[in-house]
mmCIF file of all heavy atoms in Angstrom:
data_model
loop_
_atom_site.group_PDB
_atom_site.id
_atom_site.type_symbol
_atom_site.label_atom_id
_atom_site.label_comp_id
_atom_site.label_asym_id
_atom_site.label_seq_id
_atom_site.Cartn_x
_atom_site.Cartn_y
_atom_site.Cartn_z
ATOM 1 N N LEU A 259 0.792 -1.204 0.005
ATOM 2 C CA LEU A 259 0.018 -0.006 0.019
ATOM 3 C C LEU A 259 0.849 1.281 -0.052
ATOM 4 O O LEU A 259 1.927 1.286 0.660
ATOM 5 C CB LEU A 259 -0.917 0.012 1.220
ATOM 6 C CG LEU A 259 -1.817 -1.264 1.349
ATOM 7 C CD1 LEU A 259 -2.592 -1.186 2.634
ATOM 8 C CD2 LEU A 259 -2.729 -1.351 0.148
ATOM 9 N N ASP A 260 0.378 2.291 -0.720
ATOM 10 C CA ASP A 260 1.102 3.566 -0.800
ATOM 11 C C ASP A 260 0.161 4.750 -0.637
ATOM 12 O O ASP A 260 0.483 5.845 -1.052
ATOM 13 C CB ASP A 260 1.904 3.691 -2.067
ATOM 14 C CG ASP A 260 1.024 3.690 -3.313
ATOM 15 O OD1 ASP A 260 -0.222 3.407 -3.205
ATOM 16 O OD2 ASP A 260 1.527 3.966 -4.454
ATOM 17 N N GLY A 261 -0.995 4.535 -0.004
ATOM 18 C CA GLY A 261 -1.967 5.583 0.112
ATOM 19 C C GLY A 261 -1.829 6.387 1.378
ATOM 20 O O GLY A 261 -0.603 6.523 1.894
ATOM 21 N N TYR A 262 -2.843 6.922 1.933
ATOM 22 C CA TYR A 262 -2.798 7.855 3.068
ATOM 23 C C TYR A 262 -3.550 7.373 4.240
ATOM 24 O O TYR A 262 -3.977 8.177 5.074
ATOM 25 C CB TYR A 262 -3.269 9.289 2.600
ATOM 26 C CG TYR A 262 -2.254 9.924 1.686
ATOM 27 C CD1 TYR A 262 -2.314 9.706 0.319
ATOM 28 C CD2 TYR A 262 -1.277 10.728 2.164
ATOM 29 C CE1 TYR A 262 -1.394 10.310 -0.528
ATOM 30 C CE2 TYR A 262 -0.365 11.311 1.344
ATOM 31 C CZ TYR A 262 -0.405 11.166 -0.041
ATOM 32 O OH TYR A 262 0.484 11.752 -0.867
ATOM 33 N N GLN A 263 -3.752 6.056 4.338
ATOM 34 C CA GLN A 263 -4.522 5.493 5.537
ATOM 35 C C GLN A 263 -3.528 4.686 6.331
ATOM 36 O O GLN A 263 -2.750 3.870 5.820
ATOM 37 C CB GLN A 263 -5.622 4.626 5.033
ATOM 38 C CG GLN A 263 -6.797 5.441 4.348
ATOM 39 C CD GLN A 263 -7.872 4.538 3.824
ATOM 40 O OE1 GLN A 263 -7.662 3.694 2.903
ATOM 41 N NE2 GLN A 263 -9.034 4.589 4.433
ATOM 42 N N TRP A 264 -3.601 4.819 7.661
ATOM 43 C CA TRP A 264 -2.796 4.017 8.540
ATOM 44 C C TRP A 264 -3.094 2.536 8.337
ATOM 45 O O TRP A 264 -4.263 2.116 8.273
ATOM 46 C CB TRP A 264 -3.032 4.366 10.038
ATOM 47 C CG TRP A 264 -2.830 5.799 10.370
ATOM 48 C CD1 TRP A 264 -3.732 6.678 10.924
ATOM 49 C CD2 TRP A 264 -1.618 6.566 10.306
ATOM 50 N NE1 TRP A 264 -3.163 7.890 11.197
ATOM 51 C CE2 TRP A 264 -1.885 7.845 10.778
ATOM 52 C CE3 TRP A 264 -0.346 6.266 9.751
ATOM 53 C CZ2 TRP A 264 -0.919 8.877 10.803
ATOM 54 C CZ3 TRP A 264 0.632 7.283 9.831
ATOM 55 C CH2 TRP A 264 0.315 8.536 10.339
ATOM 56 N N SER A 265 -2.012 1.762 8.306
ATOM 57 C CA SER A 265 -2.196 0.313 8.101
ATOM 58 C C SER A 265 -0.909 -0.402 8.403
ATOM 59 O O SER A 265 0.168 0.108 8.160
ATOM 60 C CB SER A 265 -2.644 0.052 6.647
ATOM 61 O OG SER A 265 -2.474 -1.293 6.276
ATOM 62 N N GLY A 266 -1.041 -1.593 8.915
ATOM 63 C CA GLY A 266 0.122 -2.472 9.061
ATOM 64 C C GLY A 266 0.581 -3.198 7.726
ATOM 65 O O GLY A 266 1.440 -4.002 7.780
ATOM 66 N N ASP A 267 -0.136 -2.835 6.597
ATOM 67 C CA ASP A 267 0.122 -3.487 5.337
ATOM 68 C C ASP A 267 -0.099 -4.940 5.482
ATOM 69 O O ASP A 267 -0.910 -5.403 6.283
ATOM 70 C CB ASP A 267 1.546 -3.140 4.869
ATOM 71 C CG ASP A 267 1.627 -3.154 3.320
ATOM 72 O OD1 ASP A 267 1.876 -4.293 2.814
ATOM 73 O OD2 ASP A 267 1.522 -2.127 2.655
ATOM 74 N N TRP A 268 0.535 -5.805 4.660
ATOM 75 C CA TRP A 268 0.271 -7.237 4.746
ATOM 76 C C TRP A 268 0.538 -7.819 6.118
ATOM 77 O O TRP A 268 -0.167 -8.713 6.542
ATOM 78 C CB TRP A 268 0.983 -7.993 3.601
ATOM 79 C CG TRP A 268 2.463 -8.091 3.676
ATOM 80 C CD1 TRP A 268 3.384 -7.334 2.967
ATOM 81 C CD2 TRP A 268 3.248 -8.891 4.563
ATOM 82 N NE1 TRP A 268 4.657 -7.659 3.371
ATOM 83 C CE2 TRP A 268 4.599 -8.591 4.260
ATOM 84 C CE3 TRP A 268 3.003 -9.881 5.539
ATOM 85 C CZ2 TRP A 268 5.687 -9.231 4.956
ATOM 86 C CZ3 TRP A 268 4.007 -10.468 6.217
ATOM 87 C CH2 TRP A 268 5.351 -10.179 5.911
ATOM 88 N N PRO A 269 1.575 -7.425 6.904
ATOM 89 C CA PRO A 269 1.728 -7.933 8.236
ATOM 90 C C PRO A 269 0.572 -7.668 9.170
ATOM 91 O O PRO A 269 0.188 -8.507 9.949
ATOM 92 C CB PRO A 269 3.031 -7.310 8.723
ATOM 93 C CG PRO A 269 3.779 -6.892 7.537
ATOM 94 C CD PRO A 269 2.721 -6.463 6.544
ATOM 95 N N GLY A 270 -0.012 -6.442 8.997
ATOM 96 C CA GLY A 270 -1.148 -6.123 9.824
ATOM 97 C C GLY A 270 -2.394 -7.013 9.472
ATOM 98 O O GLY A 270 -3.092 -7.509 10.352
ATOM 99 N N PHE A 271 -2.628 -7.252 8.160
ATOM 100 C CA PHE A 271 -3.719 -8.097 7.798
ATOM 101 C C PHE A 271 -3.480 -9.585 8.180
ATOM 102 O O PHE A 271 -4.396 -10.267 8.570
ATOM 103 C CB PHE A 271 -3.983 -8.012 6.305
ATOM 104 C CG PHE A 271 -4.645 -6.680 5.901
ATOM 105 C CD1 PHE A 271 -3.955 -5.650 5.195
ATOM 106 C CD2 PHE A 271 -6.026 -6.486 6.216
ATOM 107 C CE1 PHE A 271 -4.574 -4.494 4.841
ATOM 108 C CE2 PHE A 271 -6.580 -5.333 5.823
ATOM 109 C CZ PHE A 271 -5.864 -4.285 5.132
ATOM 110 N N ALA A 272 -2.225 -9.974 8.090
ATOM 111 C CA ALA A 272 -1.875 -11.361 8.529
ATOM 112 C C ALA A 272 -2.095 -11.516 10.032
ATOM 113 O O ALA A 272 -2.698 -12.567 10.439
ATOM 114 C CB ALA A 272 -0.416 -11.627 8.180
ATOM 115 N N ALA A 273 -1.694 -10.557 10.843
ATOM 116 C CA ALA A 273 -1.940 -10.622 12.283
ATOM 117 C C ALA A 273 -3.439 -10.713 12.568
ATOM 118 O O ALA A 273 -3.881 -11.480 13.397
ATOM 119 C CB ALA A 273 -1.270 -9.476 12.965
ATOM 120 N N GLU A 274 -4.205 -9.898 11.883
ATOM 121 C CA GLU A 274 -5.670 -9.907 12.132
ATOM 122 C C GLU A 274 -6.222 -11.306 11.743
ATOM 123 O O GLU A 274 -7.105 -11.777 12.431
ATOM 124 C CB GLU A 274 -6.328 -8.823 11.312
ATOM 125 C CG GLU A 274 -6.088 -7.433 11.839
ATOM 126 C CD GLU A 274 -6.934 -6.363 11.125
ATOM 127 O OE1 GLU A 274 -7.413 -6.658 10.019
ATOM 128 O OE2 GLU A 274 -7.109 -5.222 11.682
ATOM 129 N N GLU A 275 -5.732 -11.863 10.641
ATOM 130 C CA GLU A 275 -6.277 -13.181 10.205
ATOM 131 C C GLU A 275 -5.910 -14.254 11.273
ATOM 132 O O GLU A 275 -6.732 -15.130 11.600
ATOM 133 C CB GLU A 275 -5.631 -13.468 8.858
ATOM 134 C CG GLU A 275 -6.366 -14.629 8.131
ATOM 135 C CD GLU A 275 -7.699 -14.279 7.539
ATOM 136 O OE1 GLU A 275 -8.055 -13.093 7.454
ATOM 137 O OE2 GLU A 275 -8.471 -15.237 7.217
ATOM 138 N N ILE A 276 -4.713 -14.228 11.710
ATOM 139 C CA ILE A 276 -4.296 -15.254 12.734
ATOM 140 C C ILE A 276 -5.137 -15.097 13.972
ATOM 141 O O ILE A 276 -5.569 -16.048 14.623
ATOM 142 C CB ILE A 276 -2.810 -15.069 13.021
ATOM 143 C CG1 ILE A 276 -1.943 -15.458 11.819
ATOM 144 C CG2 ILE A 276 -2.355 -15.935 14.215
ATOM 145 C CD1 ILE A 276 -0.524 -15.022 11.890
ATOM 146 N N GLU A 277 -5.329 -13.837 14.442
ATOM 147 C CA GLU A 277 -6.095 -13.570 15.644
ATOM 148 C C GLU A 277 -7.580 -13.919 15.508
ATOM 149 O O GLU A 277 -8.227 -14.267 16.452
ATOM 150 C CB GLU A 277 -5.855 -12.156 16.093
ATOM 151 C CG GLU A 277 -4.423 -11.922 16.596
ATOM 152 C CD GLU A 277 -4.014 -10.497 16.871
ATOM 153 O OE1 GLU A 277 -4.877 -9.602 16.585
ATOM 154 O OE2 GLU A 277 -2.923 -10.253 17.325
ATOM 155 N N ARG A 278 -8.114 -13.790 14.261
ATOM 156 C CA ARG A 278 -9.458 -14.224 14.077
ATOM 157 C C ARG A 278 -9.605 -15.737 14.250
ATOM 158 O O ARG A 278 -10.585 -16.248 14.850
ATOM 159 C CB ARG A 278 -9.962 -13.841 12.615
ATOM 160 C CG ARG A 278 -10.655 -12.487 12.593
ATOM 161 C CD ARG A 278 -11.384 -12.283 11.313
ATOM 162 N NE ARG A 278 -10.441 -12.199 10.155
ATOM 163 C CZ ARG A 278 -9.928 -11.045 9.756
ATOM 164 N NH1 ARG A 278 -10.316 -9.898 10.384
ATOM 165 N NH2 ARG A 278 -9.140 -10.962 8.701
ATOM 166 N N ALA A 279 -8.555 -16.447 13.796
ATOM 167 C CA ALA A 279 -8.563 -17.902 13.947
ATOM 168 C C ALA A 279 -8.343 -18.323 15.375
ATOM 169 O O ALA A 279 -8.717 -19.399 15.857
ATOM 170 C CB ALA A 279 -7.566 -18.523 12.999
ATOM 171 N N HIS A 280 -7.629 -17.478 16.131
ATOM 172 C CA HIS A 280 -7.242 -17.788 17.547
ATOM 173 C C HIS A 280 -7.507 -16.571 18.380
ATOM 174 O O HIS A 280 -6.579 -15.803 18.740
ATOM 175 C CB HIS A 280 -5.770 -18.197 17.575
ATOM 176 C CG HIS A 280 -5.441 -19.374 16.699
ATOM 177 N ND1 HIS A 280 -5.654 -20.667 17.035
ATOM 178 C CD2 HIS A 280 -4.931 -19.363 15.433
ATOM 179 C CE1 HIS A 280 -5.308 -21.437 16.038
ATOM 180 N NE2 HIS A 280 -4.845 -20.695 15.101
ATOM 181 N N PRO A 281 -8.737 -16.327 18.750
ATOM 182 C CA PRO A 281 -9.139 -15.041 19.381
ATOM 183 C C PRO A 281 -8.439 -14.772 20.734
ATOM 184 O O PRO A 281 -8.332 -13.542 21.123
ATOM 185 C CB PRO A 281 -10.679 -15.217 19.645
ATOM 186 C CG PRO A 281 -11.116 -16.234 18.599
ATOM 187 C CD PRO A 281 -9.917 -17.171 18.435
ATOM 188 N N GLU A 282 -7.937 -15.758 21.375
ATOM 189 C CA GLU A 282 -7.300 -15.532 22.664
ATOM 190 C C GLU A 282 -5.794 -15.371 22.530
ATOM 191 O O GLU A 282 -5.062 -15.221 23.553
ATOM 192 C CB GLU A 282 -7.593 -16.704 23.604
ATOM 193 C CG GLU A 282 -9.105 -16.790 23.981
ATOM 194 C CD GLU A 282 -9.387 -17.905 24.950
ATOM 195 O OE1 GLU A 282 -8.452 -18.637 25.333
ATOM 196 O OE2 GLU A 282 -10.511 -17.986 25.438
ATOM 197 N N ALA A 283 -5.308 -15.425 21.233
ATOM 198 C CA ALA A 283 -3.854 -15.285 21.033
ATOM 199 C C ALA A 283 -3.499 -13.901 20.471
ATOM 200 O O ALA A 283 -4.274 -13.225 19.868
ATOM 201 C CB ALA A 283 -3.413 -16.346 20.111
ATOM 202 N N THR A 284 -2.253 -13.524 20.656
ATOM 203 C CA THR A 284 -1.661 -12.352 20.123
ATOM 204 C C THR A 284 -0.665 -12.730 18.986
ATOM 205 O O THR A 284 0.220 -13.580 19.263
ATOM 206 C CB THR A 284 -0.955 -11.507 21.152
ATOM 207 O OG1 THR A 284 -1.899 -10.990 22.129
ATOM 208 C CG2 THR A 284 -0.211 -10.294 20.524
ATOM 209 N N ALA A 285 -0.856 -12.224 17.776
ATOM 210 C CA ALA A 285 0.025 -12.490 16.684
ATOM 211 C C ALA A 285 1.064 -11.429 16.596
ATOM 212 O O ALA A 285 0.737 -10.231 16.469
ATOM 213 C CB ALA A 285 -0.793 -12.608 15.379
ATOM 214 N N MET A 286 2.342 -11.837 16.588
ATOM 215 C CA MET A 286 3.485 -10.887 16.517
ATOM 216 C C MET A 286 4.311 -11.244 15.280
ATOM 217 O O MET A 286 4.766 -12.355 15.148
ATOM 218 C CB MET A 286 4.289 -10.953 17.806
ATOM 219 C CG MET A 286 3.524 -10.724 19.025
ATOM 220 S SD MET A 286 4.488 -10.953 20.569
ATOM 221 C CE MET A 286 5.768 -9.685 20.400
ATOM 222 N N ILE A 287 4.456 -10.260 14.396
ATOM 223 C CA ILE A 287 5.186 -10.539 13.129
ATOM 224 C C ILE A 287 6.419 -9.636 13.064
ATOM 225 O O ILE A 287 6.336 -8.443 13.262
ATOM 226 C CB ILE A 287 4.221 -10.240 11.942
ATOM 227 C CG1 ILE A 287 3.026 -11.176 11.997
ATOM 228 C CG2 ILE A 287 4.988 -10.364 10.615
ATOM 229 C CD1 ILE A 287 2.006 -10.957 10.935
ATOM 230 N N TRP A 288 7.554 -10.271 12.709
ATOM 231 C CA TRP A 288 8.824 -9.575 12.563
ATOM 232 C C TRP A 288 9.218 -9.669 11.128
ATOM 233 O O TRP A 288 8.810 -10.604 10.363
ATOM 234 C CB TRP A 288 9.930 -10.052 13.466
ATOM 235 C CG TRP A 288 10.102 -11.540 13.545
ATOM 236 C CD1 TRP A 288 9.541 -12.406 14.368
ATOM 237 C CD2 TRP A 288 10.957 -12.301 12.686
ATOM 238 N NE1 TRP A 288 9.969 -13.744 14.141
ATOM 239 C CE2 TRP A 288 10.847 -13.676 13.106
ATOM 240 C CE3 TRP A 288 11.825 -12.039 11.663
ATOM 241 C CZ2 TRP A 288 11.604 -14.701 12.497
ATOM 242 C CZ3 TRP A 288 12.533 -13.089 11.053
ATOM 243 C CH2 TRP A 288 12.414 -14.425 11.453
ATOM 244 N N ALA A 289 9.978 -8.690 10.643
ATOM 245 C CA ALA A 289 10.442 -8.649 9.288
ATOM 246 C C ALA A 289 11.748 -9.390 9.118
ATOM 247 O O ALA A 289 12.721 -9.096 9.857
ATOM 248 C CB ALA A 289 10.569 -7.165 8.794
ATOM 249 N N GLY A 290 11.876 -10.270 8.114
ATOM 250 C CA GLY A 290 13.116 -10.924 7.787
ATOM 251 C C GLY A 290 13.981 -10.068 6.892
ATOM 252 O O GLY A 290 13.804 -8.845 6.749
ATOM 253 N N CYS A 291 14.944 -10.722 6.223
ATOM 254 C CA CYS A 291 15.900 -9.991 5.357
ATOM 255 C C CYS A 291 15.167 -9.752 3.988
ATOM 256 O O CYS A 291 15.561 -10.353 2.963
ATOM 257 C CB CYS A 291 17.184 -10.714 5.211
ATOM 258 S SG CYS A 291 18.020 -10.940 6.782
ATOM 259 N N GLY A 292 14.259 -8.840 3.938
ATOM 260 C CA GLY A 292 13.468 -8.622 2.749
ATOM 261 C C GLY A 292 13.721 -7.277 2.042
ATOM 262 O O GLY A 292 12.845 -6.758 1.337
ATOM 263 N N ALA A 293 14.915 -6.718 2.285
ATOM 264 C CA ALA A 293 15.183 -5.396 1.709
ATOM 265 C C ALA A 293 15.073 -5.366 0.186
ATOM 266 O O ALA A 293 14.788 -4.304 -0.363
ATOM 267 C CB ALA A 293 16.554 -4.886 2.133
ATOM 268 N N ASP A 294 15.328 -6.462 -0.457
ATOM 269 C CA ASP A 294 15.277 -6.540 -1.945
ATOM 270 C C ASP A 294 14.104 -7.442 -2.393
ATOM 271 O O ASP A 294 14.080 -7.922 -3.544
ATOM 272 C CB ASP A 294 16.590 -7.037 -2.537
ATOM 273 C CG ASP A 294 17.127 -8.273 -1.914
ATOM 274 O OD1 ASP A 294 16.527 -8.751 -0.925
ATOM 275 O OD2 ASP A 294 18.126 -8.814 -2.384
ATOM 276 N N GLN A 295 13.137 -7.645 -1.502
ATOM 277 C CA GLN A 295 12.009 -8.484 -1.803
ATOM 278 C C GLN A 295 10.696 -7.730 -1.681
ATOM 279 O O GLN A 295 10.444 -7.019 -0.638
ATOM 280 C CB GLN A 295 11.948 -9.706 -0.813
ATOM 281 C CG GLN A 295 13.246 -10.373 -0.593
ATOM 282 C CD GLN A 295 13.676 -11.189 -1.855
ATOM 283 O OE1 GLN A 295 12.921 -11.998 -2.360
ATOM 284 N NE2 GLN A 295 14.887 -10.938 -2.317
ATOM 285 N N ASN A 296 9.894 -7.721 -2.688
ATOM 286 C CA ASN A 296 8.618 -7.009 -2.700
ATOM 287 C C ASN A 296 7.415 -7.986 -2.751
ATOM 288 O O ASN A 296 7.513 -9.035 -3.346
ATOM 289 C CB ASN A 296 8.543 -6.045 -3.880
ATOM 290 C CG ASN A 296 9.028 -4.673 -3.511
ATOM 291 O OD1 ASN A 296 9.477 -4.392 -2.415
ATOM 292 N ND2 ASN A 296 8.964 -3.759 -4.491
ATOM 293 N N PRO A 297 6.247 -7.580 -2.182
ATOM 294 C CA PRO A 297 5.083 -8.356 -2.351
ATOM 295 C C PRO A 297 4.416 -7.921 -3.688
ATOM 296 O O PRO A 297 3.968 -6.806 -3.824
ATOM 297 C CB PRO A 297 4.210 -7.877 -1.164
ATOM 298 C CG PRO A 297 4.621 -6.462 -0.902
ATOM 299 C CD PRO A 297 6.092 -6.418 -1.328
ATOM 300 N N LEU A 298 4.398 -8.832 -4.622
ATOM 301 C CA LEU A 298 3.932 -8.468 -5.954
ATOM 302 C C LEU A 298 2.938 -9.402 -6.514
ATOM 303 O O LEU A 298 3.038 -10.631 -6.263
ATOM 304 C CB LEU A 298 5.174 -8.426 -6.913
ATOM 305 C CG LEU A 298 6.263 -7.381 -6.580
ATOM 306 C CD1 LEU A 298 7.462 -7.550 -7.563
ATOM 307 C CD2 LEU A 298 5.700 -6.036 -6.721
ATOM 308 N N PRO A 299 1.913 -8.880 -7.228
ATOM 309 C CA PRO A 299 1.632 -7.468 -7.520
ATOM 310 C C PRO A 299 1.138 -6.723 -6.227
ATOM 311 O O PRO A 299 0.907 -7.306 -5.203
ATOM 312 C CB PRO A 299 0.463 -7.570 -8.518
ATOM 313 C CG PRO A 299 -0.221 -8.878 -8.237
ATOM 314 C CD PRO A 299 0.841 -9.774 -7.800
ATOM 315 N N ARG A 300 1.016 -5.454 -6.328
ATOM 316 C CA ARG A 300 0.685 -4.614 -5.233
ATOM 317 C C ARG A 300 -0.135 -3.407 -5.602
ATOM 318 O O ARG A 300 -0.645 -3.314 -6.720
ATOM 319 C CB ARG A 300 1.959 -4.193 -4.493
ATOM 320 C CG ARG A 300 2.977 -3.478 -5.346
ATOM 321 C CD ARG A 300 4.264 -3.153 -4.592
ATOM 322 N NE ARG A 300 5.180 -2.413 -5.442
ATOM 323 C CZ ARG A 300 6.188 -1.698 -4.978
ATOM 324 N NH1 ARG A 300 6.354 -1.584 -3.604
ATOM 325 N NH2 ARG A 300 6.994 -1.020 -5.728
ATOM 326 N N ARG A 301 -0.268 -2.437 -4.646
ATOM 327 C CA ARG A 301 -0.949 -1.153 -4.833
ATOM 328 C C ARG A 301 -2.484 -1.270 -4.689
ATOM 329 O O ARG A 301 -3.167 -0.322 -5.007
ATOM 330 C CB ARG A 301 -0.612 -0.451 -6.170
ATOM 331 C CG ARG A 301 0.822 -0.215 -6.343
ATOM 332 C CD ARG A 301 1.470 0.550 -5.226
ATOM 333 N NE ARG A 301 2.853 0.960 -5.486
ATOM 334 C CZ ARG A 301 3.854 1.018 -4.627
ATOM 335 N NH1 ARG A 301 3.555 0.658 -3.373
ATOM 336 N NH2 ARG A 301 5.054 1.397 -4.932
ATOM 337 N N LYS A 302 -2.989 -2.409 -4.212
ATOM 338 C CA LYS A 302 -4.398 -2.526 -3.939
ATOM 339 C C LYS A 302 -4.616 -3.159 -2.559
ATOM 340 O O LYS A 302 -3.890 -4.000 -2.171
ATOM 341 C CB LYS A 302 -5.090 -3.349 -5.023
ATOM 342 C CG LYS A 302 -5.072 -2.840 -6.441
ATOM 343 C CD LYS A 302 -5.807 -3.736 -7.373
ATOM 344 C CE LYS A 302 -5.866 -3.168 -8.804
ATOM 345 N NZ LYS A 302 -6.543 -4.098 -9.752
ATOM 346 N N VAL A 303 -5.636 -2.649 -1.869
ATOM 347 C CA VAL A 303 -5.885 -3.201 -0.531
ATOM 348 C C VAL A 303 -6.175 -4.693 -0.575
ATOM 349 O O VAL A 303 -5.740 -5.441 0.288
ATOM 350 C CB VAL A 303 -7.101 -2.428 0.111
ATOM 351 C CG1 VAL A 303 -7.502 -3.129 1.425
ATOM 352 C CG2 VAL A 303 -6.739 -1.019 0.334
#
């Protein structure tokens, strides 16, 4: 995403999905060595 709304991007949506499946759990996502890796295609919610 490159718009103007606050968002965790795909990690935020992933955490929400994990927590929907496990409502009593907290999902914590860290970034690996992805400096040259993009989620493609992109630019759509």
